[in-house]
Amino acid sequence: MAGETLLEVRNLKKHFTVEADIFGRPTAQLKAVDDVSFSIAAGETLGLVGESGCGKSTTGRTIIGLYQPTSGEVLFKGENISAADKQVMRQEIQMIFQDPYASLNPRMTVGDIIGEPLDIHRLAKGQERTKRIQELLKLVGLNAEHANRFPHEFSGGQRQRVGIARALAVNPSLIICDEPISALDVSIQAQVVNLLERLQRELGLTYLFIAHDLAMVKYISRRVAVMYLGKIVELAETDKLYASPRHPYTQALLSAIPIPDPAVERNRERIRLEGDVPNPINPPSGCRFRTRCQYAMAVCAEQEPKLTYINGHAVACHWAAE
Amino acid sequence: MQLTPDSFTPVTRDNAEQEILRPSLTYWQDAWQRLKRNKLAMLGLYIIVFLLLAAVFGPLFSNTSYSDQNLLQANRPPSSEHWFGTDNLGRDLFIRVLYGARISLAIGIVASLLNFTVGVAYGGIAGFVGGRTDRFMMNVVDVLYGVPVLLYVILLMVVLKPGLTNIFIALGIAYWLQMARIVRGQILVIKEQEYVLAARTIGAGKWRILLRHLIPNSMGAIIVTMTLAIPDAIFTEAFLSFIGLGVAAPMASWGVLASEGINSLRSYPFQLLFPALAISITMLAFNFLGDGLRDALDPRMRR
């Protein structure tokens, strides 16, 4: 299924200036994304997980160009995105947003929302536009008559489908799903994920699936990257990562997934992390996870562990490397 | 009770979940429905419409003008001939109050036009561009806001004669500031909404985002601010004319009429009563309507 590399992210950094002196020089910076590299093959789904504020959404938004990267580059089909034609890139890479209640303009009809990308890129007009909108609505499992309705008349799951239809309107090849299901009810989550899978099969889409729900990521992704404080700490194929996590942080995350079997669940041992996530404006020296890591060693405070690949399983940890 | 597999039949999956039964209402239809339920706001609306019609057409049906004097008929109490009585020069008070309404409503229209054009454009640009531009533009607003309107008018008196022009210029300086602030605040909030990000990811240009996403979604706040700015402007004019800085005789603004009426308060109280009533009722009507609109247009208040 996985073909050639579609998207490659190289040493991507996105720093936000939190404070500046009177000359506009930054005095405090939030390193939301700090030296992140990964690639996505055409047709695959890469899951990107991590807790709130670890930089996973910022990574997605920087890739699509909502934020200007501080440094590093994003290559799409081998071409640097910042140098490429913006309008072409806007059609190749699309995004599905987290909150279906906030991501649709309440003053526009669903038809106009889905039609807006068609208008902007002059893809269809008049009759053709109407037809295309109806086609898209059907594709995501809504009725063609819904085009004249307003977003507030829809349920959360239906709105998310509208958001998906809008992203599909320009026939993109990569879709960045920014926590597309975390705002939905559990029963609706499955519907939307299944829809995304069906669309992937039918249209040959590639997904970057950002989420914090590990069980859902396991279900949809071929490979998973785990982020902590702006860095990728582990990246491996889904089965490998879930079967034998090597980074202490991934181990702790996975141990927190409840198991739907009372007998097993009763004996489940959870690794509890001590303390809170450190302030990203002033992260710990060396390994960023060392303040909460049960295996922390002297070297962890001094040297920053590099993300190293062993048999396609990448991990950034001194302890795991030994 | 015995349960067998036969006692269960799977629910057939139909399209029911995709049906929407509520009739489709646009945002404005929905707001209108809510406004109609608010009795005070509707009363305000009726009064304003009545006032508009009376001010525009009322004087056309009368054979006397607002400045026609008839000294034999001076200081007459209200009667069937002169509904509101006459003043000390024998001018019909009813006609003069109607003319006052014209001036007041003209002031209201100017204030709302300024609000809508200058205020919305200024606040919209400041909020949308942001950064240093925003800081500079809003500092200008803060400085202008700090100076009282009364001071502008007095300073203008040095250059111009007292009259409507003075008031219009003073309003021009002062009456879009509030709107600029409100619109900027709205735009700053809406700019970060996911649907604006979505519009950017599909490649929408600046103008498209401003005109199709930001302004339409600030419309509720804009209209409410406008409705509440109108009575403020009308009252400012009445006040300025009352203290002699605005419209001068024989022009008949409500402030002038009240000012004239107060001289003969002891002997002919009706000469103050009618202009004062006109001012009060108009203020109340606009404020009722403004409050009602705020409730109707603010989705957060939705029950």
Side-chain angles (χ1 to χ4, degrees):
Chain A
M1 186 168 101
E4 64 213 80
T5 304
L6 185 72
L7 183 86
E8 194 176 349
V9 176
R10 281 190 199 154
N11 308 101
L12 189 70
K13 289 185 187 177
K14 177 64 200 175
H15 299 176
F16 292 102
T17 301
V18 186
E19 262 172 40
D21 61 15
I22 48 168
F23 303 109
R25 287 178 304 208
T27 52
Q29 280 197 319
L30 188 144
K31 298 178 175 177
V33 180
D34 202 16
D35 203 359
V36 162
S37 303
F38 60 86
S39 64
I40 308 177
E44 81 162 339
T45 301
L46 176 72
L48 189 59
V49 295
E51 56 198 301
S52 315
C54 74
K56 48 192 196 307
S57 287
T58 310
T59 306
R61 289 182 178 183
T62 312
I63 290 172
I64 204 168
L66 283 177
Y67 299 143
Q68 210 51 40
T70 309
S71 71
E73 51 191 11
V74 181
L75 304 179
F76 184 82
K77 288 180 178 168
E79 196 184 354
N80 196 328
I81 278 186
S82 54
D85 183 349
K86 283 255 154 44
Q87 293 302 314
V88 174
M89 280 304 148
R90 297 259 182 254
Q91 294 184 49
E92 289 282 4
I93 308 179
Q94 269 302 313
M95 190 156 181
I96 300 169
F97 289 86
Q98 174 176 7
D99 184 354
Y101 291 90
S103 61
L104 306 176
N105 185 342
R107 300 283 183 279
M108 281 163 81
T109 62
V110 163
D112 281 336
I113 289 171
I114 299 173
E116 194 172 22
L118 302 175
D119 301 340
I120 291 170
H121 298 289
R122 297 196 183 80
L123 296 176
K125 266 195 286 189
Q127 282 266 296
E128 209 185 327
R129 180 177 181 270
T130 320
K131 229 181 82 192
R132 175 82 177 126
I133 289 168
Q134 290 177 349
E135 222 174 78
L136 285 163
L137 280 171
K138 274 184 214 145
L139 189 64
V140 296
L142 294 170
N143 282 343
E145 295 85 63
H146 287 169
N148 296 325
R149 301 266 172 180
F150 284 86
H152 67 83
E153 300 172 60
F154 292 84
S155 67
Q158 289 173 321
R159 282 158 171 249
Q160 199 57 293
R161 287 168 193 264
V162 175
I164 294 171
R166 170 176 58 193
L168 291 175
V170 289
N171 284 321
S173 42
L174 172 70
I175 295 186
I176 296 169
C177 309
D178 186 3
E179 308 209 23
I181 51 168
S182 48
L184 303 174
D185 293 343
V186 178
S187 57
I188 308 294
Q189 288 188 354
Q191 285 180 16
V192 171
V193 166
N194 286 336
L195 171 68
L196 287 172
E197 289 215 303
R198 199 193 84 215
L199 293 170
Q200 184 167 43
R201 273 197 311 276
E202 287 175 8
L203 306 171
L205 298 169
T206 306
Y207 292 138
L208 173 62
F209 195 88
I210 300 169
H212 55 241
D213 180 344
L214 289 154
M216 204 51 100
V217 169
K218 184 182 179 184
Y219 176 72
I220 196 169
S221 314
R222 195 179 72 86
R223 291 189 304 143
V224 175
V226 181
M227 271 185 94
Y228 184 76
L229 273 182
K231 284 189 179 293
I232 291 184
V233 293
E234 188 162 6
L235 198 167
E237 280 174 25
T238 311
D239 298 342
K240 275 190 198 164
L241 187 104
Y242 280 74
S244 55
R246 292 175 55 196
H247 197 283
Y249 179 62
T250 318
Q251 290 172 358
L253 279 185
L254 291 178
S255 79
I257 306 177
I259 300 157
D261 177 347
V264 185
E265 173 72 17
R266 211 166 293 134
N267 300 316
R268 180 167 65 98
E269 233 178 278
R270 242 196 101 178
I271 305 170
R272 285 184 191 280
L273 291 178
E274 298 292 323
D276 287 324
V277 184
N279 187 348
I281 296 171
N282 193 11
S285 65
C287 173
R288 296 187 172 188
F289 185 59
R290 69 178 165 84
T291 50
R292 300 167 79 191
C293 180
Q294 51 178 335
Y295 308 110
M297 302 176 290
V299 64
C300 298
E302 289 153 17
Q303 242 185 331
E304 198 175 309
K306 285 209 165 59
L307 191 69
T308 37
Y309 283 82
I310 303 166
N311 300 333
H313 190 140
V315 65
C317 178
H318 294 300
W319 172 77
E322 277 178 15
Chain B
M1 193 179 142
Q2 273 304 106
L3 288 176
T4 59
D6 307 332
S7 38
F8 295 95
T9 46
V11 177
T12 45
R13 195 189 151 88
D14 54 15
N15 257 345
E17 63 156 343
Q18 311 291 14
E19 296 284 329
I20 300 170
L21 297 172
R22 211 159 79 104
S24 181
L25 288 178
T26 67
Y27 170 75
W28 298 110
Q29 286 169 331
D30 203 28
W32 174 238
Q33 301 255 321
R34 264 173 286 156
L35 187 68
K36 267 201 292 197
R37 276 197 296 266
N38 187 337
K39 291 203 178 80
L40 272 182
M42 288 313 282
L43 180 70
L45 185 64
Y46 291 140
I47 292 175
I48 292 165
V49 171
F50 172 76
L51 211 70
L52 266 174
L53 293 176
V56 175
F57 299 109
L60 302 180
F61 294 110
S62 134
N63 40 20
T64 51
S65 146
Y66 68 96
S67 52
D68 283 353
Q69 301 182 7
N70 184 352
L71 290 172
L72 296 173
Q73 294 271 337
N75 293 327
R76 289 288 159 89
S79 65
S80 59
E81 196 185 348
H82 302 289
W83 290 357
F84 287 180
T86 60
D87 67 3
N88 59 346
L89 295 174
R91 294 176 293 201
D92 186 282
L93 255 184
F94 179 68
I95 303 292
R96 285 177 71 74
V97 168
L98 277 186
Y99 265 95
R102 278 189 172 185
I103 288 178
S104 292
L105 291 168
I107 296 276
I109 288 167
V110 168
S112 54
L113 275 181
L114 274 170
N115 258 313
F116 200 72
T117 50
V118 185
V120 172
Y122 196 95
I125 289 168
F128 189 52
V129 177
R132 214 170 284 174
T133 319
D134 174 36
R135 234 169 300 147
F136 174 76
M137 287 176 85
M138 290 332 276
N139 280 343
V140 171
V141 167
D142 288 342
V143 169
L144 290 176
Y145 206 76
V147 185
V149 180
L150 192 57
L151 194 59
Y152 289 129
V153 179
I154 293 173
L155 288 175
L156 280 167
M157 294 268 291
V158 180
V159 192
L160 301 164
K161 278 183 288 178
L164 263 186
T165 343
N166 256 341
I167 294 176
F168 282 139
I169 295 174
L171 288 180
I173 298 170
Y175 267 79
W176 53 273
L177 300 173
Q178 182 70 16
M179 180 64 100
R181 282 181 166 182
I182 297 233
V183 171
R184 168 183 172 266
Q186 286 279 319
I187 300 272
L188 281 182
V189 173
I190 298 169
K191 203 165 68 162
E192 298 302 321
Q193 293 278 319
E194 281 191 340
Y195 58 80
V196 177
L197 294 181
R200 283 169 59 193
T201 61
I202 56 175
K206 283 195 172 99
W207 285 108
R208 190 182 186 92
I209 288 176
L210 192 62
L211 295 178
R212 297 214 55 177
H213 297 277
L214 297 179
I215 299 281
N217 282 289
S218 338
M219 227 35 210
I222 291 173
I223 289 182
V224 171
T225 314
M226 214 164 85
T227 326
L228 293 176
I230 293 173
D232 204 22
I234 291 178
F235 190 75
T236 305
E237 181 275 324
F239 164 69
L240 291 173
S241 302
F242 182 78
I243 60 173
L245 292 175
V247 176
M251 292 262 285
S253 129
W254 289 343
V256 174
L257 295 178
S259 168
E260 285 171 357
I262 212 158
N263 296 330
S264 46
L265 179 61
R266 293 243 178 111
S267 3
Y268 313 109
F270 63 89
Q271 288 182 3
L272 176 64
L273 179 72
F274 289 110
L277 263 183
I279 295 172
S280 315
I281 290 173
T282 312
M283 302 291 291
L284 277 175
F286 273 106
N287 278 308
F288 283 153
L289 181 66
D291 284 345
L293 279 174
R294 174 161 47 209
D295 293 347
L297 293 174
D298 195 341
R300 277 164 299 187
M301 295 282 295
R302 184 177 283 186
R303 268 157 291 178

